[in-house]
């Protein structure tokens, strides 16, 4: 197995097809409970019966927001189809990280769901990652949005950097990251950091990703 150390503890990323441990199953359940308290996504689309509203800087936890937000995960990328977790921002714009055929179908179905639910999207923001840009193009086409209404967000919607675990098996590495978060992240998500990498891939805590999302929402509220 591939191993990484964080906070004095060692988390194992299996490289074979062996059976996952019981701790990983427990970590997955606990992580789902934690994520119920936050919203994480790769593309942000605002919904409002009126044009998007503006206000001053928003502090979190926010009591109220001027706009309603729908967070849509980008469809499956070619790298994800190949079971590869790529998180270095410098490489996410490469076309090898573009949407797979399955990913394109996923986005079309998500747009159909939004229309069925009567969710009226008025603006959109998306990460510069190739899969997110492709997702935004499909959203524009499916929801008949003006191209000027869906624009890139250059930093705040980036996915979490996983340091030395970058380009490892997506499915198996996720289990290690979830176990680390359960053991070390804490209620704020500030503990538990993937092992550092020497190629510039960020090694980020869950809390750092959530902070970026909060900053994105706060910025959109002031526009």
């Amino acid at each position: 197995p591939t191993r990484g150390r964080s906070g004095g503890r060692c988390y194992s990323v299996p490289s074979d097809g062996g059976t996952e441990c019981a701790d990983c199953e427990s970590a997955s359940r606990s992580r789902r409970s934690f994520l119920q308290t936050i919203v994480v996504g790769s593309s942000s689309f605002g919904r409002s019966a009126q044009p998007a509203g503006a206000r001053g800087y928003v502090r979190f936890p926010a009591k109220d927001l001027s706009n309603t937000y729908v967070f849509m995960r980008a469809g499956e990328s070619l790298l994800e189809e190949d079971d590869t977790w790529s998180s270095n921002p410098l490489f996410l714009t490469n076309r090898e990280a573009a949407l797979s055929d399955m990913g394109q179908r996923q986005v079309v179905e998500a747009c159909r769901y939004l229309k069925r639910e009567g969710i009226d999207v008025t603006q959109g923001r998306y990460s510069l990652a190739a899969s997110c840009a492709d997702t935004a193009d499909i959203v524009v086409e499916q929801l008949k949005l003006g191209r000027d209404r869906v624009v890139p967000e250059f930093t705040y919607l980036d996915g979490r950097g996983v340091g030395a675990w970058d380009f490892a098996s997506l499915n198996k590495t996720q289990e290690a990251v979830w176990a680390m978060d359960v053991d070390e992240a804490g209620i704020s998500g500030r503990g538990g950091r993937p092992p550092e990498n020497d190629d510039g891939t960020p090694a980020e805590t869950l809390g750092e990703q959530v902070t970026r999302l909060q900053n994105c929402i706060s910025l959109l509220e002031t526009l």
Side-chain angles (χ1 to χ4, degrees):
T2 301
R3 291 184 177 270
R5 184 166 296 278
S6 172
R9 301 197 59 173
C10 193
Y11 298 93
S12 178
V13 183
S15 57
D16 55 21
T19 303
E20 300 294 342
C21 65
D23 289 342
C24 291
E25 296 179 2
S26 174
S28 180
R29 291 193 298 270
S30 299
R31 179 182 171 85
R32 284 195 295 271
S33 298
F34 176 80
L35 288 178
Q36 289 175 356
T37 65
I38 62 175
V39 183
V40 177
S42 299
S43 301
S44 170
F45 296 94
R47 167 206 177 188
S48 175
Q50 303 294 328
R55 58 181 290 171
Y57 186 79
V58 178
R59 298 184 63 181
F60 286 85
K63 295 182 179 179
D64 59 86
L65 297 172
S66 298
N67 304 299
T68 300
Y69 296 91
V70 176
F71 289 92
M72 178 187 293
R73 188 195 186 283
E76 177 193 70
S77 71
L78 293 171
L79 287 172
E80 290 172 331
E81 182 181 53
D82 195 38
D83 191 32
T84 300
W85 191 347
S86 175
S87 65
N88 190 321
L90 295 178
F91 305 125
L92 291 181
T93 57
N94 292 352
R95 292 310 297 171
E96 64 183 13
L99 285 182
S100 66
D101 291 342
M102 172 64 75
Q104 295 176 38
R105 292 193 294 270
Q106 289 170 339
V107 179
V108 170
E109 180 55 36
C111 290
R112 290 173 179 168
Y113 171 81
L114 292 175
K115 289 188 282 189
R116 286 197 304 269
E117 294 297 312
I119 298 176
D120 181 22
V121 176
T122 59
Q123 292 192 30
R125 296 292 186 273
Y126 60 92
S127 163
L128 290 178
S131 60
C132 296
D134 290 349
T135 296
D137 288 341
I138 295 174
V139 168
V140 166
E141 178 183 359
Q142 292 289 317
L143 300 185
K144 310 303 181 186
L145 290 171
R147 184 70 255 190
D148 62 329
R149 307 291 288 179
V150 180
V151 297
E153 206 304 307
F154 294 95
T155 302
Y156 291 144
L157 290 176
D158 285 351
R160 180 180 180 180
V162 293
W165 288 335
D166 192 56
F167 258 74
S169 165
L170 173 63
N171 293 322
K172 295 175 182 177
T173 306
Q174 279 182 331
E175 299 287 355
V177 173
W178 293 345
M180 178 185 66
D181 287 343
V182 168
D183 286 345
E184 298 185 10
I187 190 63
S188 68
R190 296 176 181 174
R193 188 179 298 276
E196 299 287 341
N197 203 335
D198 58 6
D199 68 352
T201 303
E204 298 179 304
T205 65
L206 185 60
E208 287 169 339
Q209 185 185 25
V210 174
T211 296
R212 282 203 301 273
L213 182 60
Q214 291 174 338
N215 288 339
C216 181
I217 293 174
S218 184
L219 176 63
L220 292 173
E221 287 289 297
T222 64
L223 296 179

